[in-house]
Amino acid sequence: MFGRPLWVILLLLLVASLVWWRVPADDGQLSRTALVMGTLVEIKAFDDEKDKLDSAISAAFAEMTRLENLLSRHNPRSEISQLSAAAGPFTVSQETAELLQLGQSIARRSDGAFDLTLGALKKLWAIESDSPQIPTAAQLQSALSGIGPDALTLEGLQVQKQQPGLQVDLGGIAKGYAVDRALNVLRQAGIRSAAVNAGGDIALLGDRQGQPWRIGIQHPRKNGEVLVTLPLTDCAVVTSGDYERFFERDGSRYHHIFDPRTGRPARLTQSVTVVAKDAASADALATAAFVLGPQAGLQLLEDLPDVEGLLVGADGRLFRTSGLRRGD
Ligand code: ADP
Ligand code: MG
């Protein structure tokens, strides 16, 4: 789930080492970046006490690393890897159980567009590896067999897979969850203004020196260009796009968000941005809406309280939920 080609990781590490800065600027802001979950994560926080800021940010990064170890498919000792390897019922931690519950509820709500059981499919495409491949129809069929919202049952802390080979992948929700928990560490440390950004999964604490944070949403086809700027306070905003992790073959783009009905990259959308109270929900909902496309995807977001979103369809058209149509 957090895998990337080696050269991307090396490049990110280089960038991280170059931009690892501690800016005890006059305005009481401190920003630091680090590579966690295969993504360059930036944590920015404001406080008058520099030592407090520094230790709070270190603790927030440590929290994200803890969650990477708990939830990553790439770490064979993670709970998720152990669950995937388990043949029978498997007991998880309270925290993992709650995250699985949240994922399952969004899986049901989106009619299976969001799916926690795509581990085998993800491995098959290997989109984030150095040698991605286009699977055959037979391979797809086998990777999709037995997946879906009913493929995992949770009873308390006990998780039961409907078939022993089922592979769990939290790639569509774990980063958002980690961002939420990092922000919570900052909050617990007494910080009142902060932003955690894990490659477009953003959680915001409070405002930015009396003003809303201004979050620029990446244009899905114009690299480095901002599509829309959203003024936001004390919430999460997450973007999923087909431009982040993909390969091209014979003029077609193969990216990392799969339609569980076909086993192929979802085709109706270029990008989705979801604003919600927490980044875990926003992350999963963005992936779900991406798969569902402009009509059903926007409807999913519109029907949920405290959730707004904007979606760029395959043809580049921009759609917004009603709460984002006002204003700008
Ligand atoms: P990113 O990780 O780039 O922010 P997403 O949040 O959209 O992007 O998550 C994409 C990841 O989620 C994929 O790499 C894969 O691990 C997983 N995934 C792909 N398709 C689905 C799906 N339909 N439902 C749930 N998870 C998915
Ligand atoms: Mg997601």
Side-chain angles (χ1 to χ4, degrees), residues 134 246-254 267:
I134 302 171
F246 66 92
F247 68 97
E248 275 173 334
R249 205 159 288 169
D250 301 330
S252 281
R253 173 184 297 235
Y254 297 93
R267 287 273 171 240

Side-chain angles (χ1 to χ4, degrees), residues 225-258:
E225 198 168 298
V226 169
L227 175 72
V228 175
T229 300
L230 299 174
L232 297 169
T233 303
D234 224 9
C235 66
V237 52
V238 173
T239 300
S240 277
D242 66 2
Y243 53 86
E244 287 174 65
R245 301 171 191 210
F246 66 92
F247 68 97
E248 275 173 334
R249 205 159 288 169
D250 301 330
S252 281
R253 173 184 297 235
Y254 297 93
H255 62 82
H256 71 317
I257 305 173
F258 301 108

